[in-house]
Amino acid sequence: GKMAAALAEEAPDNQDYYSLLNVRREASQEELKAAYRRLCMLYHPDKHRDPELKSQAERLFNLVHQAYEVLSDPQTRAIYDIYGRRGLEMEGWEVVERKRTAAEIREEFERLQREREERRLQQRTNPKGTISVGIDATDLFDRYDEEYEDVPGSSFPQIEINKMHISQSIEAPLTATDTAILSGNLSTQNGNGGGSINFALRRVTSAKGWGELEFGAGDLQGPLFGLKIFRNLTPKCFITTNCALQFSSRGIRPGLTTVLARHLDKNTMGYLQWRWGIQSAMNTSIVRDTKTSHFTVALQLGIPHSFMMVSYQHKFQDEDQTRVKGSLKAGFFGTIVEYGAERKISRHSVLGATVSVGVPQGVSLKIKLNRASQTYFFPVHLTDQLLPSAVFYATVGPLVMYFAMHRLIIKPYLRAQKERELEKQRESAASDILQKKQEAEAAVRLMQESVRRIIEAEEARMGLIVVNAWYGKFVNDNSKKNEKVKVIDVTVPLQCLVKDSKLILTESSKAGLPGFYDPCVGEEKSLKVLYQFRGVLHQVMSADNEALRIPKQSHRIDADG
């Protein structure tokens, strides 16, 4: 395992070991051994006197040896078959028991990958933040003209920020089980506000649960002490309990919140919540989350708020992950209907807008932008009354703005970004092709001696001689210029693979064969061979991932043709 991983470090990323050895994916140990011996004889450094050829032979010999090392060991072969070379580079294989099945190896790989992810997570502070800016735009719709008649400049409606909230938290893993969390927040409303800072220590006690101690202090409220416990009761059921003591000038205010949750089926969760203290309430909810939808129904009885709520979200299976949602909430405070949509606008950003229409709350538009772990929230209060014009503008305005922004800003930006990435890929592919080309040319130079011997032997028995062989993308005769760029001559490497007047190629991509390289990355390629067998010319054109056996009667070129 260690050796395979160490060897894997040296190989190019896209090296196909099966193609390099020219064996089937189901090849037996005997087939692997025969292919390995043949290539060893060809590339053994001791067979070449020229210093440059000797160093090239050494490199190719090591590559062949590495391919054989990986494929001849059932365990590393199973890892390579499932995950390619990146699987062999994963740390931790050396402790894995031998003679495992492919399924067990897959599980082991996933476990090691999870551990690596966890280590990566431990190095991160996992920052999370929210910025919320409340905007009062009621002046746009709820204007009383008589009050403004004598006021200069009253023709312009007043739009102002009336509340703000900022919160931020960072985590610091102390050990594998302990994490420290520091968080703070600031809130203001109509010029008055305050903030608080909290410190929490979380310990994972077992696979079944964790506990958290919290200490907080703020300028509006006194110190806060809290204890939170999470525990899995059964594989389908868990409980969370949160106790808090809030100290203030009016004395100590205790609070207790308990949530009992259960998996009702694969996609559905049921929750029972009991809250006692500052705002006592009992709440029950059912949440169903599938690939295409998210549905919630909740009922709360409490002081001062009792309500019933139903919400539904439809998830479209498009690349922008578009979601459309609607909800109805009715209770002692009135009735609110909300509808909205959200969409991915870049790799890490999601933009959403929701219209809220309520009695007596009025009409609001809420705009939200999620960027990685940061959330920016802009609730815009439009009117205290139920005005159809406010509902219309709150619905149509954001849609028009979004499509204009998408067409004029987002789309061109993403297109330019994609173009830059493609350019980078082309550049790296170009340098990769150059390296592969040099390797292939070196391999061909090393083959000259062997090919001469093979041709002599085949000529003596009127056997198989490759007259011409081309590999790459073939185009029409009109564009010969292109053909030279896209096609490479592989006559020598193919002749080198002839054994006892037979040439057998597997269904692997031919680009990995010794002396070959990919002249047109990402495009469809073919292999065109003109060969002589028993003194008669034959020709064949074969797709890149197609197995090929030569000679064949059907490849004959008729004398009159």
Side-chain angles (χ1 to χ4, degrees), residues 182-196:
L182 185 66
S183 59
N185 66 73
L186 283 170
S187 296
T188 82
Q189 186 157 359
N190 296 323
N192 299 314
S196 66

Side-chain angles (χ1 to χ4, degrees), residues 432-456:
D432 193 36
I433 288 172
L434 192 66
Q435 186 194 340
K436 289 261 190 265
K437 185 183 177 184
Q438 287 166 352
E439 283 174 11
E441 285 166 356
V444 168
R445 284 200 298 276
L446 296 171
M447 289 171 185
Q448 299 295 350
E449 189 60 38
S450 302
V451 165
R452 202 168 48 77
R453 281 202 306 274
I454 292 166
I455 290 174
E456 274 172 19

